[in-house]
Amino acid sequence: MRVLISLLVLLGSTSCIHTQEGPQRKTRGKVRLSGHCVPDQETAKKIVEATWIPIYGRQVIQAERPFKALLIGDSVWAVSGTVHASEGGAAYIEIRAKDCSVKKVTHYK
């Protein structure tokens, strides 16, 4: 758990870039939040994968690819895994775009 927290702090402190462009802009049909630690879907997916693996295990998380990332409002990324079988569930997490903090993490059955 200590390693996970250190990773999130490191990602948050090294990836924040503050700009004057405003809170949000579109790039090739995808949302990109300027001045946020988690500016886009791909960054959100990488951060949550690093969060999920220590909790649920590498095999479980790799089996749930591809991940789906949606922006809730303009401040929270909701990322979920994909269910490939008729049984089972997927990992789900909500992280704040501004500071990479985790609001919710769970694995549905």
Side-chain angles (χ1 to χ4, degrees), residues 35 67 73 103 108:
F67 306 130
K103 289 184 62 175
Y108 293 108

Side-chain angles (χ1 to χ4, degrees), residues 22-90:
Q24 182 173 323
R25 67 182 167 141
K26 292 272 189 177
T27 56
R28 292 190 210 160
K30 296 182 180 180
V31 174
R32 181 167 179 82
L33 300 172
S34 299
H36 286 72
C37 292
V38 190
D40 55 43
Q41 292 174 330
E42 293 309 311
T43 304
K45 291 176 187 179
K46 289 175 185 175
I47 291 170
V48 301
E49 185 173 23
T51 304
W52 283 336
I53 288 174
I55 299 170
Y56 303 115
R58 186 173 300 281
Q59 281 185 309
V60 170
I61 297 307
Q62 286 180 343
E64 294 184 10
R65 287 182 180 161
F67 306 130
K68 300 172 197 148
L70 298 171
L71 184 62
I72 300 173
D74 65 348
S75 60
V76 176
W77 286 102
V79 184
S80 62
T82 300
V83 179
H84 295 286
S86 59
E87 289 185 22

